[in-house]
Amino acid sequence: MPTRKKTARKKKSRKWPRRSLLIALARIVVTGSFAAAFLLSPYCLYLSMKIEDRFSGRRWDIPSRVFSDTQVLMTGQGINIDAFRSKLKALGYRETPSKPRQKGEMKLSAQEIDIFLHDLKMPGLDRPGFPVRISVGSGEIKAIRTVPRGKNLPMIELEPEEVMLFYGDEHERRRLITLNQAPRHLINAVLAAEDNSFFSHYGLDPFGIMRALFVNLLHGGIVQGGSTITQQLAKNYFLTSQRTMGRKLNEMLIALIIETKYEKNQILEMYMNEIYLGQKGSASINGFGEAAFFYFGRQVGDLTLSECAVLAGLIKSPGQYSPFAGKKNCTQRRDAVLAAMAENGMITDAELKAAQQADVRTAAYSPANKKAPYFMDHLAQQLRDMYPPEVLSGMGLSIYTTIDMQVQTAAEQALARGLERLEKAQPRLRREDAGKKLQGAVVVMDPKSGAIKALAGGRDYGASQFNRITQARRQPGSAFKPFVYLSGLDVCTPATILSNEPRTMKSGGRQWTPKNYEDIPEAQLTMRESLARSVNLTTIDLAMRAGLSRIIRTARQFDFSTPLAPTPSMVLGASEVIPLELARAYCAFASGGVLPVPFTLKKVIDENGAVLALRHMSAKRVIPQDKAYIMNSLLRSVVTEGTARGLAGRGFTQPAAGKTGTTNDSRDAWFVGYTPDLLALVWVGFDGGDSIRNTGASAALPIWADLMRSVPQCLSGAWFSMPEGVIVKTVCKESGQLARGGCCPLKAEEVFLADRAPSEICTLHQCGPVSEIIDRVKNFFNPF
């Protein structure tokens, strides 16, 4: 017994010091905790105020997005398959080997195009996506049918293409989504990949922290964070990515404060809109709304299970696991996320197997190059006059424009090919200095509305941002002549005989003797022939008959902002014009005498769908419809038998009208051509005014032909209908009078204004009294 007591006392004496130590440590921890809490309270209060201030206002600056026009596809419309495939890829459609089964998929062959259309949501237009089959043949759309029912559709409309964003300082691409818009699989994939205990912890995961602490101690530095979703939100939204203990402590404090102030669903929604998921050029891809479009070309709600796992897997390392960087790493990471989802009971084994076997098919990757830079500069200037920079870069406006990206691409490519062709054929045109290279510019318009469909202000925006369509002032040369001939219709007719004899006159205080560009042996030409062949001397004769003051009054009706010198040389295009204004003036011929106002902006929508700005077509009538038709007929002759007759040889055979232009010493080469559907102006020259030793027909016309051949979807092949007030007569081309039966050797049908048609029968050719009586009877009973 004594021995046992002694033993007991010894045990007791060894136990108490250990208990005392634990009590002492506990007191230190408690005291330290109270002290730390006391010391951190002011700082936590400061953080709380900062968080509340930041989250209570506008949480993100959303860049405004600029969109192209929509594209309408109709039965009977021309189609360029290669260009159409590029268009669909730019809209985010993905090619599949089999029939499209999901929105944003396509399958193209030589005879059929299967598309599962995206949703189309715009103000006044809300169309869900559905599958269609487009049958094509002989370069045109033969039929459009729904799949699988086969219902014929007269037309379908493709969504607009995103062309540009107005970034702020942060350069972030982001499309905000609500948690309700995110599919269940995406939410579960994010939780499985990043924070499986998100809905049970209070901002910090003690086990994750201990695991990260162990790994960091093992490696002698911070290599693992153990961060919860709330901590990641705190870091991304408020802190830098610098790995220090101070930053980590701040992250934990902010996470705890966020958890006390906001519901779990709010936190998760903010996280899904904030998280970094990749890079496009200099802009970051933030949030799952943007990532869904960037990687898969679809809205977040349309993502498949496999795609949800891919996006969730990107959080760990977007550069390493991006499907654009390499399918192997991406697939392995996706499968790991899917396995985690299955392990946590979020998906079934069958869903796991199906998703892991699915191919990762991405939307076509488009480089971050600036699209249509000259067009966008012109548009941006208008927008900056309407909205301050912070609105454009932060308020998420949707800006809808007139640009047709297929036409824009065709214009840029035709210009580049045309200039390269000239330089290759004529090496003397090459310049090593980028600022002195041969230049060109193209603008394409809808002649009736004035909408600018494409604009290329130079051959290389990187080398020169000077917009030669809107900013340059160049002599138009013979491209100005249509306004002389329009004035001439007041005193002459298309059949009027004009003199080709040389003459000397005063122009600008000096003697001026105009010459033809090339030798024209005929002493006389009709007004139609004169314009078609661009003869200078006959044009001067017409100008003298009409009067310079009349010509200037006529030209000013077309709103040229540059001065027109009242000298004879002005008649041949010596006065400078702005190319866009010249293109606009030609639109009046194609639109039946109505002069439209060129525009690029259609409407501006705020992030709530409200219309902030709506462009209404603005136009004024400058010439009667009958005169416009006569001009179209005269300019048609330029293409069929005049200086632009080379169009047919270059593969463009649709009815068209236009005028070439070449200035003195061949400093400028022009072609302005149009159909009832589309008008395009092409200019070629050196900025410094050096001679290009080419004409409008050899330098500008081939570019125009190349462009128009590339956009069959924009051309109907139709021609202008003859309006009231225009009549057709058969005339003698030598006298300009009514043809005398079989007596006049050169006859032609000619159009006239009804009140200016000739009534005299040809006096140059006589066939006897019987023939004259017959001709007079014919004209009496057939005045039209």
Side-chain angles (χ1 to χ4, degrees), residues 423-647:
E423 291 173 333
K424 183 177 181 180
Q426 303 169 57
R428 66 178 180 274
L429 296 177
R430 289 190 181 277
R431 301 288 188 275
E432 295 302 321
D433 187 340
K436 296 181 179 180
K437 281 183 176 291
L438 180 66
Q439 280 292 346
V442 179
V443 64
V444 184
M445 300 176 66
D446 178 335
K448 295 180 178 63
S449 69
I452 297 177
K453 312 301 288 184
L455 191 157
R459 70 184 299 178
D460 183 358
Y461 182 82
S464 170
Q465 292 79 53
F466 180 66
N467 192 331
R468 292 155 189 84
I469 290 295
T470 62
Q471 296 173 297
R473 296 187 175 203
R474 309 290 302 206
Q475 290 182 339
S478 295
F480 185 78
K481 285 178 181 176
F483 307 101
V484 178
Y485 283 74
L486 174 62
S487 302
L489 289 177
D490 290 339
V491 294
C492 300
T493 74
T496 298
I497 304 299
L498 300 175
S499 172
N500 191 34
E501 297 297 327
R503 67 176 73 193
T504 299
M505 62 196 74
K506 281 190 175 183
S507 180
R510 294 183 297 178
Q511 293 295 106
W512 181 56
T513 304
K515 298 179 181 179
N516 291 327
Y517 183 81
E518 57 185 11
D519 183 50
I520 305 291
E522 296 93 334
Q524 295 178 325
L525 294 169
T526 66
M527 183 175 169
R528 177 179 292 278
E529 293 170 331
S530 174
L531 182 58
R533 297 167 65 180
S534 198
V535 182
N536 289 340
L537 295 179
T538 49
T539 300
I540 292 293
D541 183 33
L542 177 65
M544 294 303 101
R545 298 188 192 195
L548 293 181
S549 58
R550 184 196 302 269
I551 294 170
I552 291 174
R553 284 198 307 273
T554 298
R556 283 177 177 163
Q557 291 178 354
F558 291 84
D559 291 347
F560 288 106
S561 63
T562 49
L564 298 172
T567 61
S569 61
M570 176 268 297
V571 170
L572 301 183
S575 295
E576 293 178 339
V577 297
I578 296 171
L580 181 59
E581 293 182 356
L582 183 63
R584 178 200 182 193
Y586 272 72
C587 284
F589 301 138
S591 64
V594 176
L595 182 70
V597 175
F599 69 100
T600 57
L601 180 65
K602 293 182 73 174
K603 64 181 71 171
V604 179
I605 312 297
D606 70 13
E607 56 190 348
N608 298 315
V611 178
L612 301 183
L614 182 63
R615 175 64 189 237
H616 297 283
M617 192 180 78
S618 178
K620 65 176 181 178
R621 178 166 293 283
V622 291
I623 52 175
Q625 191 173 7
D626 51 5
K627 270 191 179 180
Y629 182 84
I630 299 291
M631 288 305 303
N632 291 333
S633 176
L634 292 174
L635 291 170
R636 175 89 175 101
S637 293
V638 177
V639 171
T640 57
E641 59 195 64
T643 56
R645 62 187 180 278
L647 273 180

Side-chain angles (χ1 to χ4, degrees), residues 58-131:
R58 188 175 183 83
R59 293 171 181 170
W60 295 279
D61 284 337
I62 309 298
S64 296
R65 296 174 186 266
V66 179
F67 294 96
S68 72
D69 203 356
T70 59
Q71 182 175 350
V72 175
L73 303 176
M74 297 185 294
T75 302
Q77 186 181 76
I79 186 169
N80 180 322
I81 294 291
D82 291 336
F84 188 60
R85 176 185 278 107
S86 298
K87 171 72 174 180
L88 292 175
K89 286 184 176 180
L91 290 173
Y93 286 87
R94 310 177 301 286
E95 287 200 71
T96 60
S98 56
K99 184 175 70 173
R101 299 182 182 279
Q102 297 172 339
K103 294 175 185 177
E105 293 184 344
M106 62 175 177
K107 184 177 184 294
L108 284 78
S109 67
Q111 290 79 35
E112 288 183 338
I113 303 171
D114 284 302
I115 312 172
F116 203 127
L117 296 170
H118 285 138
D119 295 339
L120 177 56
K121 293 185 178 181
M122 297 174 61
L125 184 60
D126 190 352
R127 184 219 66 201
F130 61 95

Side-chain angles (χ1 to χ4, degrees), residues 177 186 190 272-273 275 277 286-292 300 311-312 315:
I177 61 170
L186 179 60
V190 171
M272 295 185 73
N273 282 308
I275 194 67
L277 293 168
N286 289 83
F288 287 96
E290 183 66 33
V300 69
L311 295 186
I315 300 172

Side-chain angles (χ1 to χ4, degrees), residues 109-183:
S109 67
Q111 290 79 35
E112 288 183 338
I113 303 171
D114 284 302
I115 312 172
F116 203 127
L117 296 170
H118 285 138
D119 295 339
L120 177 56
K121 293 185 178 181
M122 297 174 61
L125 184 60
D126 190 352
R127 184 219 66 201
F130 61 95
V132 295
R133 175 167 295 160
I134 303 171
S135 301
V136 298
S138 303
E140 69 175 41
I141 296 174
K142 297 297 185 181
I144 304 174
R145 298 184 179 92
T146 61
V147 176
R149 299 176 65 183
K151 179 183 177 182
N152 282 305
L153 300 175
M155 57 163 279
I156 57 173
E157 190 169 5
L158 294 179
E159 65 272 17
E161 179 180 341
E162 183 186 289
V163 186
M164 188 184 79
L165 279 78
F166 282 95
Y167 291 112
D169 295 335
E170 295 179 338
H171 235 60
E172 295 176 344
R173 297 174 66 98
R174 181 181 280 107
R175 297 173 195 247
L176 297 183
I177 61 170
T178 65
L179 207 58
N180 290 334
Q181 292 173 319

